[in-house]
Amino acid sequence: MTTAAGFTDRSVADQSGKTFVVTGANAGIGLEIARVLALRGARVLMACRDIAKFQAAAADIRRTAPQSELAWLPLDLVDLASVRDAAAIVEKESHLHGLINNAGVMIPPLTRTQQGFELQFGVNHLGTFALSSLLLPKLAATPGARVVVTSSIAHIKGYIEWDDINAERTYHRAARYRSSKLANALHFFELDKRLRSAGSSVLSVGCHPGVAYTRLGRYMGIAQLAGPVVGLLLNTAAQGAWPALHAATGDVVPGGYYGPSGFAEMRGVSGAAKRSAGAMDPEAARRLWEMSVEMTGIDPGLAEAK
């Protein structure tokens, strides 16, 4: 439950009998999300690319939760074929209570996905859109299941370059990161509207981790070197996991957005978070949805909300 003081890992109720998929679960915030869910009795499908990294992460979790039910879910969001393969594996599970879209990349040099998309938009948004869409039938078969999409406080200054979505003409890596995080916010906003219009029991919920010191900032150069000092003022990875855990297991509203409640939403216990007006623009959300279907070739089959 969420107390007046806010939501933390201690607020997560018993999750015995439940199954969750956590993307990017081998390190950082994803590892901490998986750890808490496992400690509370859930079966956790840890989605990541490398089995050796999964094994190391699982061993880490089992040091404190030896009875953890953990499984490797091979997933590389750089390749939509891998996303389809992962979804096919999850389809074999008896049920799925939550998909926590945590994995992402941040401000790399210009790079492209296997399908040729700009990496940050391709991984952070299109990969998340594709996996969420493919798993909706499995989620819908489990009453009260949730899709959690991770955005960022960076979305507030984001804008989508509709006429250069694939960075064919210009590339500013920080701007493209902000754009991908705005896309995440628009995604869960539009998904919520369409799910509710369809009468689905699946909840679409958003979150952001604040500012946490993790490997996500490995392309930040000299700023990353100051991380151990700056990190004293920011969230740890474990604290950065609180909003996602809140979104996945706590008392939430459909389409709600959760993040740290401390100064400028950079750190602290999880509570209701602020969104930009652009993150709730119905026309932009509809346009992004249709573009995402076209780019991925994956249609969730949810009609536009009326």
Side-chain angles (χ1 to χ4, degrees), residues 202-220:
V202 179
L203 296 184
S204 172
V205 189
C207 68
H208 78 83
V211 183
Y213 180 56
T214 70
R215 289 190 67 252
L216 187 62
R218 61 189 176 275
Y219 296 110
M220 295 176 68

PDB file of all heavy atoms in Angstrom, residues 202-220:
ATOM      1  N   VAL A 202      -7.025  -4.529 -18.555  1.00  0.00           N
ATOM      2  CA  VAL A 202      -5.590  -4.218 -18.470  1.00  0.00           C
ATOM      3  C   VAL A 202      -5.413  -2.729 -18.156  1.00  0.00           C
ATOM      4  O   VAL A 202      -6.079  -1.875 -18.744  1.00  0.00           O
ATOM      5  CB  VAL A 202      -4.869  -4.557 -19.788  1.00  0.00           C
ATOM      6  CG1 VAL A 202      -3.383  -4.208 -19.700  1.00  0.00           C
ATOM      7  CG2 VAL A 202      -5.044  -6.039 -20.118  1.00  0.00           C
ATOM      8  N   LEU A 203      -4.515  -2.434 -17.238  1.00  0.00           N
ATOM      9  CA  LEU A 203      -4.206  -1.053 -16.888  1.00  0.00           C
ATOM     10  C   LEU A 203      -2.912  -0.625 -17.573  1.00  0.00           C
ATOM     11  O   LEU A 203      -1.927  -1.376 -17.592  1.00  0.00           O
ATOM     12  CB  LEU A 203      -4.038  -0.888 -15.380  1.00  0.00           C
ATOM     13  CG  LEU A 203      -5.238  -1.152 -14.490  1.00  0.00           C
ATOM     14  CD1 LEU A 203      -4.879  -0.843 -13.034  1.00  0.00           C
ATOM     15  CD2 LEU A 203      -6.434  -0.335 -14.925  1.00  0.00           C
ATOM     16  N   SER A 204      -2.899   0.583 -18.109  1.00  0.00           N
ATOM     17  CA  SER A 204      -1.690   1.191 -18.657  1.00  0.00           C
ATOM     18  C   SER A 204      -1.256   2.279 -17.690  1.00  0.00           C
ATOM     19  O   SER A 204      -2.022   3.205 -17.401  1.00  0.00           O
ATOM     20  CB  SER A 204      -1.972   1.781 -20.037  1.00  0.00           C
ATOM     21  OG  SER A 204      -0.861   2.528 -20.502  1.00  0.00           O
ATOM     22  N   VAL A 205      -0.029   2.160 -17.183  1.00  0.00           N
ATOM     23  CA  VAL A 205       0.467   3.070 -16.155  1.00  0.00           C
ATOM     24  C   VAL A 205       1.879   3.520 -16.524  1.00  0.00           C
ATOM     25  O   VAL A 205       2.667   2.740 -17.059  1.00  0.00           O
ATOM     26  CB  VAL A 205       0.484   2.382 -14.767  1.00  0.00           C
ATOM     27  CG1 VAL A 205       0.793   3.392 -13.667  1.00  0.00           C
ATOM     28  CG2 VAL A 205      -0.834   1.679 -14.487  1.00  0.00           C
ATOM     29  N   GLY A 206       2.201   4.773 -16.244  1.00  0.00           N
ATOM     30  CA  GLY A 206       3.529   5.299 -16.520  1.00  0.00           C
ATOM     31  C   GLY A 206       4.308   5.575 -15.251  1.00  0.00           C
ATOM     32  O   GLY A 206       3.739   5.707 -14.159  1.00  0.00           O
ATOM     33  N   CYS A 207       5.614   5.662 -15.400  1.00  0.00           N
ATOM     34  CA  CYS A 207       6.466   5.986 -14.257  1.00  0.00           C
ATOM     35  C   CYS A 207       7.758   6.617 -14.759  1.00  0.00           C
ATOM     36  O   CYS A 207       8.073   6.565 -15.947  1.00  0.00           O
ATOM     37  CB  CYS A 207       6.775   4.746 -13.419  1.00  0.00           C
ATOM     38  SG  CYS A 207       7.834   3.535 -14.254  1.00  0.00           S
ATOM     39  N   HIS A 208       8.487   7.214 -13.845  1.00  0.00           N
ATOM     40  CA  HIS A 208       9.861   7.640 -14.142  1.00  0.00           C
ATOM     41  C   HIS A 208      10.682   7.489 -12.871  1.00  0.00           C
ATOM     42  O   HIS A 208      10.161   7.611 -11.765  1.00  0.00           O
ATOM     43  CB  HIS A 208       9.905   9.069 -14.699  1.00  0.00           C
ATOM     44  CG  HIS A 208       9.749  10.149 -13.670  1.00  0.00           C
ATOM     45  ND1 HIS A 208      10.809  10.605 -12.910  1.00  0.00           N
ATOM     46  CD2 HIS A 208       8.669  10.881 -13.284  1.00  0.00           C
ATOM     47  CE1 HIS A 208      10.392  11.569 -12.106  1.00  0.00           C
ATOM     48  NE2 HIS A 208       9.105  11.747 -12.309  1.00  0.00           N
ATOM     49  N   PRO A 209      11.988   7.203 -13.004  1.00  0.00           N
ATOM     50  CA  PRO A 209      12.813   6.895 -11.829  1.00  0.00           C
ATOM     51  C   PRO A 209      13.456   8.096 -11.157  1.00  0.00           C
ATOM     52  O   PRO A 209      14.248   7.920 -10.223  1.00  0.00           O
ATOM     53  CB  PRO A 209      13.893   5.987 -12.424  1.00  0.00           C
ATOM     54  CG  PRO A 209      14.086   6.537 -13.804  1.00  0.00           C
ATOM     55  CD  PRO A 209      12.701   6.951 -14.263  1.00  0.00           C
ATOM     56  N   GLY A 210      13.142   9.301 -11.641  1.00  0.00           N
ATOM     57  CA  GLY A 210      13.881  10.456 -11.142  1.00  0.00           C
ATOM     58  C   GLY A 210      15.245  10.484 -11.788  1.00  0.00           C
ATOM     59  O   GLY A 210      15.400  10.158 -12.967  1.00  0.00           O
ATOM     60  N   VAL A 211      16.247  10.842 -11.026  1.00  0.00           N
ATOM     61  CA  VAL A 211      17.625  10.830 -11.522  1.00  0.00           C
ATOM     62  C   VAL A 211      18.402   9.840 -10.673  1.00  0.00           C
ATOM     63  O   VAL A 211      18.668  10.090  -9.491  1.00  0.00           O
ATOM     64  CB  VAL A 211      18.261  12.222 -11.456  1.00  0.00           C
ATOM     65  CG1 VAL A 211      19.669  12.181 -12.044  1.00  0.00           C
ATOM     66  CG2 VAL A 211      17.412  13.245 -12.194  1.00  0.00           C
ATOM     67  N   ALA A 212      18.731   8.715 -11.260  1.00  0.00           N
ATOM     68  CA  ALA A 212      19.428   7.656 -10.535  1.00  0.00           C
ATOM     69  C   ALA A 212      20.797   7.423 -11.155  1.00  0.00           C
ATOM     70  O   ALA A 212      20.966   7.539 -12.379  1.00  0.00           O
ATOM     71  CB  ALA A 212      18.617   6.361 -10.556  1.00  0.00           C
ATOM     72  N   TYR A 213      21.752   7.098 -10.325  1.00  0.00           N
ATOM     73  CA  TYR A 213      23.111   6.828 -10.797  1.00  0.00           C
ATOM     74  C   TYR A 213      23.197   5.373 -11.241  1.00  0.00           C
ATOM     75  O   TYR A 213      23.316   4.452 -10.429  1.00  0.00           O
ATOM     76  CB  TYR A 213      24.117   7.114  -9.697  1.00  0.00           C
ATOM     77  CG  TYR A 213      25.560   6.857 -10.120  1.00  0.00           C
ATOM     78  CD1 TYR A 213      26.081   7.500 -11.247  1.00  0.00           C
ATOM     79  CD2 TYR A 213      26.370   5.983  -9.412  1.00  0.00           C
ATOM     80  CE1 TYR A 213      27.376   7.268 -11.648  1.00  0.00           C
ATOM     81  CE2 TYR A 213      27.680   5.748  -9.812  1.00  0.00           C
ATOM     82  CZ  TYR A 213      28.181   6.390 -10.931  1.00  0.00           C
ATOM     83  OH  TYR A 213      29.471   6.154 -11.334  1.00  0.00           O
ATOM     84  N   THR A 214      23.109   5.134 -12.572  1.00  0.00           N
ATOM     85  CA  THR A 214      23.172   3.788 -13.133  1.00  0.00           C
ATOM     86  C   THR A 214      24.008   3.822 -14.402  1.00  0.00           C
ATOM     87  O   THR A 214      24.460   4.873 -14.848  1.00  0.00           O
ATOM     88  CB  THR A 214      21.767   3.256 -13.494  1.00  0.00           C
ATOM     89  OG1 THR A 214      21.264   3.986 -14.631  1.00  0.00           O
ATOM     90  CG2 THR A 214      20.791   3.419 -12.332  1.00  0.00           C
ATOM     91  N   ARG A 215      24.171   2.660 -15.037  1.00  0.00           N
ATOM     92  CA  ARG A 215      24.941   2.573 -16.277  1.00  0.00           C
ATOM     93  C   ARG A 215      24.237   3.232 -17.449  1.00  0.00           C
ATOM     94  O   ARG A 215      24.827   3.384 -18.519  1.00  0.00           O
ATOM     95  CB  ARG A 215      25.223   1.104 -16.619  1.00  0.00           C
ATOM     96  CG  ARG A 215      26.220   0.431 -15.694  1.00  0.00           C
ATOM     97  CD  ARG A 215      26.646  -0.927 -16.224  1.00  0.00           C
ATOM     98  NE  ARG A 215      27.417  -0.820 -17.457  1.00  0.00           N
ATOM     99  CZ  ARG A 215      26.966  -1.155 -18.662  1.00  0.00           C
ATOM    100  NH1 ARG A 215      25.728  -1.570 -18.826  1.00  0.00           N
ATOM    101  NH2 ARG A 215      27.743  -1.047 -19.726  1.00  0.00           N
ATOM    102  N   LEU A 216      22.995   3.649 -17.279  1.00  0.00           N
ATOM    103  CA  LEU A 216      22.286   4.292 -18.376  1.00  0.00           C
ATOM    104  C   LEU A 216      23.018   5.535 -18.853  1.00  0.00           C
ATOM    105  O   LEU A 216      22.972   5.893 -20.028  1.00  0.00           O
ATOM    106  CB  LEU A 216      20.865   4.672 -17.932  1.00  0.00           C
ATOM    107  CG  LEU A 216      19.930   5.209 -19.015  1.00  0.00           C
ATOM    108  CD1 LEU A 216      19.694   4.159 -20.094  1.00  0.00           C
ATOM    109  CD2 LEU A 216      18.615   5.652 -18.410  1.00  0.00           C
ATOM    110  N   GLY A 217      23.759   6.195 -17.962  1.00  0.00           N
ATOM    111  CA  GLY A 217      24.474   7.411 -18.326  1.00  0.00           C
ATOM    112  C   GLY A 217      25.901   7.187 -18.786  1.00  0.00           C
ATOM    113  O   GLY A 217      26.729   8.099 -18.741  1.00  0.00           O
ATOM    114  N   ARG A 218      26.199   5.986 -19.298  1.00  0.00           N
ATOM    115  CA  ARG A 218      27.590   5.663 -19.626  1.00  0.00           C
ATOM    116  C   ARG A 218      28.145   6.457 -20.806  1.00  0.00           C
ATOM    117  O   ARG A 218      29.359   6.455 -21.031  1.00  0.00           O
ATOM    118  CB  ARG A 218      27.741   4.171 -19.887  1.00  0.00           C
ATOM    119  CG  ARG A 218      26.919   3.622 -21.046  1.00  0.00           C
ATOM    120  CD  ARG A 218      26.999   2.110 -21.058  1.00  0.00           C
ATOM    121  NE  ARG A 218      26.177   1.498 -22.073  1.00  0.00           N
ATOM    122  CZ  ARG A 218      24.888   1.210 -21.931  1.00  0.00           C
ATOM    123  NH1 ARG A 218      24.267   1.531 -20.818  1.00  0.00           N
ATOM    124  NH2 ARG A 218      24.202   0.619 -22.891  1.00  0.00           N
ATOM    125  N   TYR A 219      27.278   7.130 -21.587  1.00  0.00           N
ATOM    126  CA  TYR A 219      27.760   7.944 -22.700  1.00  0.00           C
ATOM    127  C   TYR A 219      27.934   9.411 -22.315  1.00  0.00           C
ATOM    128  O   TYR A 219      28.162  10.253 -23.175  1.00  0.00           O
ATOM    129  CB  TYR A 219      26.783   7.856 -23.890  1.00  0.00           C
ATOM    130  CG  TYR A 219      26.667   6.476 -24.478  1.00  0.00           C
ATOM    131  CD1 TYR A 219      25.501   5.738 -24.329  1.00  0.00           C
ATOM    132  CD2 TYR A 219      27.726   5.903 -25.199  1.00  0.00           C
ATOM    133  CE1 TYR A 219      25.384   4.471 -24.875  1.00  0.00           C
ATOM    134  CE2 TYR A 219      27.610   4.633 -25.750  1.00  0.00           C
ATOM    135  CZ  TYR A 219      26.435   3.923 -25.578  1.00  0.00           C
ATOM    136  OH  TYR A 219      26.321   2.668 -26.121  1.00  0.00           O
ATOM    137  N   MET A 220      27.836   9.718 -21.020  1.00  0.00           N
ATOM    138  CA  MET A 220      27.848  11.109 -20.600  1.00  0.00           C
ATOM    139  C   MET A 220      29.246  11.676 -20.405  1.00  0.00           C
ATOM    140  O   MET A 220      29.417  12.821 -19.997  1.00  0.00           O
ATOM    141  CB  MET A 220      27.032  11.274 -19.313  1.00  0.00           C
ATOM    142  CG  MET A 220      25.563  10.975 -19.496  1.00  0.00           C
ATOM    143  SD  MET A 220      24.602  11.045 -17.967  1.00  0.00           S
ATOM    144  CE  MET A 220      24.683  12.794 -17.592  1.00  0.00           C
TER     145      MET A 220
END
